[in-house]
Amino acid sequence: NAGVTQTPKFQVLKTGQSMTLQCAQDMNHNSMYWYRQDPGMGLRLIYYSASEGTTDKGEVPNGYNVSRLNKREFSLRLESAAPSQTSVYFCASKYRYSRHPTGELFFGEGSRLTVL
Amino acid sequence: ELKVEQNPLFLSMQEGKNYTIYCNYSTTSDRLYWYRQDPGKSLESLFVLLSNGAVKQEGRLMASLDTKARLSTLHITAAVHDLSATYFCAVDDSGFNKFYFGSGTKLNVKP
């Protein structure tokens, strides 16, 4: 059971380049999330998808787009990367509240992105 | 927007000592989560607190939740070096299916 899988694990981009971070979960979770982690700032929510077919903005959505491709997959796209987007990106998933009482998040291993 | 504040942000302590990490949040919620993160690694779930007065314990760590005070604590008893990590609390804004995280407490337990 792989849990939450993110690719790539490491990426270096030049300013203005685009890329997509991929995330897949095999736990039959309904909700999926993208966070970024920067030193001293905890995790900040970029976008989330409460269920297949829906996406919503989080705290820091500017410069990003997302696609909930199906129930398993949730991708994060940087259209024109900027140095301020250098960060560690985490994908996470969980059951919706109504399906599972604990509702805890399960995280992928992270994707370390550097924008030069 | 829900705010989650942890303190302290950094904690250096000797093995064998006790200490408490505090997590305050700004809006009504009856669900709070504690996670552990080792350097360069992902986040691992430690505790899930689902109601007012909930208390969970695992080894030297004990977490509690006071929803009326909007406060959770993570108490460390007789710290050991293996507990060195960053600890995050997170609140589930249930109505909007969002999770909000504190800034984390970096714990260093010195032998």
Side-chain angles (χ1 to χ4, degrees), chain A residues 27-62:
Chain A
M27 295 177 282
N28 202 33
H29 286 166
N30 311 92
S31 304
M32 298 185 73
Y33 302 77
W34 278 105
Y35 288 90
R36 61 177 288 173
Q37 183 177 29
D38 302 293
M41 301 190 74
L43 280 81
R44 292 182 292 169
L45 181 62
I46 305 171
Y47 270 95
Y48 69 105
S49 172
S51 60
E52 187 178 355
T54 68
T55 60
D56 286 285
K57 295 179 180 179
E59 302 165 85
V60 289
N62 292 344

Side-chain angles (χ1 to χ4, degrees), chain A residues 31 33 35 37 40 42-43 45 48 50 57 59 90 94 97 101-105 107-109 112, chain B residues 1 31 33 35 37 40-43 45 48 50 88 92 94 96-104:
Chain A
S31 304
Y33 302 77
Y35 288 90
Q37 183 177 29
L43 280 81
L45 181 62
Y48 69 105
K57 295 179 180 179
E59 302 165 85
F90 286 98
K94 74 175 188 75
Y97 175 77
T102 63
E104 65 192 292
L105 281 173
F107 284 86
E109 292 298 308
R112 286 151 181 79
Chain B
E1 189 174 281
R31 307 173 147 251
Y33 305 81
Y35 288 85
Q37 185 180 38
K41 302 294 185 181
S42 186
L43 282 82
S45 178
V48 179
L50 298 178
F88 291 94
D92 180 358
S94 300
F96 298 95
N97 210 36
K98 294 181 182 180
F99 268 62
Y100 293 89
F101 282 79
S103 298

